[in-house]
Amino acid sequence: MDLLLAFLLFTAVMLAALIKDFTMTIALLVGLIAFMIVGLKRGFGLKELCIMGAKGTKDSLIVIEVMCVIGFITAVWRACGTITIFVYYGIRIITPSLFLIITFLLSCLLSYALGTSFGVAGTVGVIFMTLARSGGVDPVLTAGVLMSGVYFGDRCSPVSSSANMVAGITGTKIFDNVKIMMKTGLLPLLACCMLYAALSFRNPITHVDPELLAAFERDFNLSLWAFVPAIIMLLLPILKVSVLLSMALSITSGILVAWLVQGIPLWEVLKICVTGYEANGDGLTALLNGGGLVSMLEIVVILIISCSYSGIFEGTKMLETLQERLASACTKIGRFSIMVLISVGTTAVFCNQTIASLMCCGLLKKPYLDGGGCLEELAIDMENSVILIACMIPWSIGCSVPLTFFNVDFSAIPYAFYMYLVPICYWFTKKKWYEEKPKDCQ
């Protein structure tokens, strides 16, 4: 009963945070206190509980480092013109019958390089929605294409905050996860390319507004040097260079481009790394506002608290009874099937990836391990379910925020093929990855 009351309190405060639009950090702290009280009632000392929470947090330190560096890179790429140059040349190569497929591929590329769905949706997405509306392409269809693209990178980029969060709370290696995610996501990606190519031919753009290109040329320095930070970030991980080193080199090159090519004073570039990019004026350049270390602070705090939850849950075994029931259900209908059901339930209640991921990991970690699974399997199952399902629930943050950027309603979701092709394809092919290859699990 005490655990149920703690969960009810946590859920109530989280829903209040969503309704009243205040930080979920407060709700997480309230939940943490509630679960610590449950631990105290069950005979654990306060010092013991703090040590459990600290152990969970310690396991996430490398992920926290990556999160902070992601903040730097999202600001620098805005300042040095990397995002701008990709969008500009993407628009330049558009032909009437290729608009939707170019929109999809460009949003995939940028979301993978930047690791952010909201950042790409609020910049590239807004620009391509403007093109769609002015060129006679169905904006609902275009929004669905963009949703697929921005969540491609959010799911599988080594610099994605959600991918790093999953790695942190499951205790797995981000690069190992990314490799499997790319493999399990290949079939859905190819299917999306074919579907969006067909839709592109059926829904050609009538024209591209030349004023938009003129605005890019007027407001930005479109130097080819702006491609360098992206090339570094995309190429070095393929060559097995560590994520942090690849990001550091990309940031360094971006700072040099912003300083020497874009003409931004060096001290101002360094300030942008911390506080985020803010354009001069309210025109096209204002779409790029954001990023910086400051933008990642709340995410870092959320991750720290979330990982302390997992430490307390594991140390006190307070979820053991529920986990035993879930383990039985996993045996009957399969671990991934249960993961999907838990994902739908937690995202419908908590309305965001972070808390839903935390709950899925907390509830299913023990059933996975006791049932012959492994931490890597748990992480990949989460990436192929809760991370995307959280962005298909109409009232969840992952769905409502991008659609607000695009100024369309939830009717765009059926066109976001990638988001539901991934769990469907994985459900049919998972046996290939794990049940026949237990040695691949670490």
Side-chain angles (χ1 to χ4, degrees):
M1 179 60 74
D2 53 358
L3 181 60
L4 177 59
L5 290 174
F7 269 111
L8 289 175
L9 175 62
F10 176 44
T11 303
V13 178
M14 180 57 66
L15 292 176
L18 294 168
I19 294 170
K20 296 296 184 180
D21 195 27
F22 61 83
T23 175
M24 71 174 68
T25 304
I26 296 175
L28 282 169
L29 287 172
V30 171
L32 180 61
I33 293 170
F35 292 124
M36 290 185 74
I37 292 173
V38 173
L40 290 171
K41 287 190 65 178
R42 297 190 178 189
F44 295 92
L46 181 60
K47 184 178 180 180
E48 286 181 278
L49 294 169
C50 290
I51 291 173
M52 292 173 192
K55 183 181 182 299
T57 300
K58 182 180 178 181
D59 295 337
S60 69
L61 289 180
I62 183 63
V63 181
I64 291 170
E65 290 178 15
V66 173
M67 295 278 198
C68 293
V69 179
I70 290 172
F72 292 140
I73 204 169
T74 55
V76 169
W77 278 33
R78 286 168 161 87
C80 71
T82 297
I83 296 177
T84 307
I85 202 77
F86 271 100
V87 175
Y88 176 77
Y89 281 101
I91 294 173
R92 288 289 299 269
I93 65 174
I94 287 175
T95 59
S97 59
L98 295 179
F99 172 72
L100 289 176
I101 187 63
I102 289 175
T103 297
F104 174 63
L105 293 175
L106 185 60
S107 56
C108 282
L109 178 64
L110 284 174
S111 66
Y112 181 83
L114 278 168
T116 170
S117 53
F118 287 2
V120 175
T123 53
V124 178
V126 172
I127 292 169
F128 275 85
M129 287 300 297
T130 301
L131 287 172
R133 288 188 168 94
S134 64
V137 181
D138 184 356
V140 172
L141 173 56
T142 306
V145 173
L146 285 165
M147 288 287 282
S148 284
V150 301
Y151 281 113
F152 169 82
D154 182 77
R155 167 184 169 269
C156 67
S157 170
V159 295
S160 162
S161 57
S162 66
N164 278 279
M165 176 193 66
V166 169
I169 62 179
T170 58
T172 52
K173 297 178 181 178
I174 181 65
F175 250 130
D176 292 342
N177 293 349
V178 166
K179 289 176 185 176
I180 301 296
M181 281 191 279
M182 294 299 288
K183 292 175 181 177
T184 58
L186 180 59
L187 180 58
L189 179 64
L190 294 175
C192 283
C193 287
M194 291 187 288
L195 289 167
Y196 290 139
L199 288 171
S200 287
F201 282 100
R202 291 175 62 88
N203 298 269
I205 191 169
T206 56
H207 69 283
V208 174
D209 187 355
E211 176 55 33
L212 188 60
L213 288 173
F216 272 105
E217 294 165 354
R218 181 175 61 249
D219 296 342
F220 300 99
N221 183 347
L222 300 170
S223 170
L224 295 179
W225 284 106
F227 280 116
V228 172
I231 293 171
I232 291 173
M233 191 65 247
L234 292 169
L235 182 61
L236 291 187
I238 296 175
L239 300 176
K240 298 186 177 180
V241 177
S242 72
V243 174
L244 284 174
L245 180 57
S246 301
M247 294 171 72
L249 292 173
S250 179
I251 291 168
T252 302
S253 65
I255 289 172
L256 293 174
V257 173
W259 176 31
L260 300 175
V261 178
Q262 300 295 345
I264 303 174
L266 181 58
W267 67 269
E268 182 67 24
V269 179
L270 297 177
K271 179 184 175 184
I272 287 171
C273 289
V274 177
T275 61
Y277 178 76
E278 187 171 351
N280 295 319
D282 299 322
L284 190 62
T285 55
L287 289 175
L288 297 178
N289 289 347
L293 177 62
V294 171
S295 70
M296 302 302 294
L297 291 181
E298 183 177 9
I299 297 175
V300 168
V301 172
I302 288 172
L303 180 63
I304 291 172
I305 300 173
S306 299
C307 288
S308 68
Y309 271 59
S310 62
I312 291 172
F313 287 158
E314 186 173 344
T316 61
K317 303 186 185 304
M318 64 174 64
L319 299 179
E320 195 167 43
T321 301
L322 178 57
Q323 288 171 330
E324 288 174 357
R325 295 179 181 178
L326 289 173
S328 176
C330 286
T331 302
K332 292 177 181 178
I333 66 173
R335 290 189 286 272
F336 185 65
S337 298
I338 293 298
M339 177 67 78
V340 170
L341 293 174
I342 297 295
S343 299
V344 172
T346 53
T347 54
V349 173
F350 296 110
C351 308
N352 68 85
Q353 288 177 325
T354 304
I355 307 304
S357 298
L358 169 64
M359 297 307 298
C360 286
C361 183
L363 291 171
L364 292 173
K365 183 176 181 179
K366 189 174 186 297
Y368 265 63
L369 296 179
D370 290 349
C374 61
L375 293 177
E376 181 193 76
E377 179 189 353
L378 174 67
I380 300 304
D381 282 12
M382 289 173 62
E383 292 286 3
N384 290 340
S385 57
V386 63
I387 293 300
L388 294 174
I389 289 171
C391 307
M392 290 189 280
I393 304 294
W395 54 87
S396 73
I397 295 171
C399 181
S400 61
V401 170
L403 293 183
T404 299
F405 288 151
F406 304 150
N407 196 25
V408 298
D409 60 22
F410 307 124
S411 57
I413 297 302
Y415 296 107
F417 301 137
Y418 183 80
M419 293 166 64
Y420 48 85
L421 281 176
V422 168
I424 291 173
C425 291
Y426 183 68
W427 191 83
F428 283 105
T429 63
K430 182 185 172 181
K431 187 175 181 179
K432 166 180 165 47
W433 300 107
Y434 289 107
E435 294 184 54
E436 292 181 355
K437 298 182 178 181
K439 64 180 180 294
D440 285 350
C441 281
Q442 298 176 357

